[in-house]
Amino acid sequence: MSDLLKVIDDMPMEVYQRLKSAAETGKWEDGSSLSDEQRDSTLQVVMLFQQRRLQQDEHFTIGTDGKVIELSKAELKKRFRGDTIAQFQEKEL
């Protein structure tokens, strides 16, 4: 396990982003599909990287304590209140 932790600690952010994308889409960058075993392993590495290297407090990410961060509906509403996605004038519609 200590070898894996060293790999995680030394892993460049670019590699993490590629692994995260593969875990999310089920495909490698070249378009080939991950096997079930590859997807499970990739997801575990991504979660370990998030726990050890990223200081996150976003919904459904892994916190530094190794637990999934789940925000309440009220907390999510509070975070997104006032965020404007797009604005249009009536004549533009």
Side-chain angles (χ1 to χ4, degrees):
M1 180 69 161
S2 64
D3 291 340
L4 177 59
L5 296 180
K6 175 137 177 58
V7 168
I8 296 296
D9 291 342
D10 295 340
M11 182 184 296
M13 183 61 76
E14 181 181 327
V15 172
Y16 161 73
Q17 293 291 344
R18 289 179 179 176
L19 291 172
K20 182 179 175 205
S21 176
E24 290 171 344
T25 63
K27 295 184 178 187
W28 296 113
E29 285 184 341
D30 67 1
S32 61
S33 296
L34 277 72
S35 67
D36 289 341
E37 185 177 331
Q38 287 174 325
R39 191 166 192 167
D40 290 345
S41 297
T42 301
L43 187 55
Q44 289 176 9
V45 169
V46 166
M47 291 171 69
L48 187 57
F49 186 95
Q50 290 176 347
Q51 185 260 325
R52 289 185 64 82
R53 302 267 309 272
L54 303 180
Q55 299 295 317
Q56 301 184 111
D57 64 351
E58 297 171 15
H59 189 55
F60 282 115
T61 56
I62 306 299
T64 55
D65 60 358
K67 296 180 181 176
V68 175
I69 297 170
E70 294 183 73
L71 301 177
S72 69
K73 188 175 180 179
E75 290 171 311
L76 288 170
K77 281 184 175 182
K78 184 178 176 183
R79 284 192 180 197
F80 291 110
R81 185 174 298 135
D83 288 351
T84 302
I85 296 173
Q87 289 184 333
F88 300 96
Q89 298 202 4
E90 189 173 341
K91 64 184 178 186
E92 296 174 327
L93 300 174

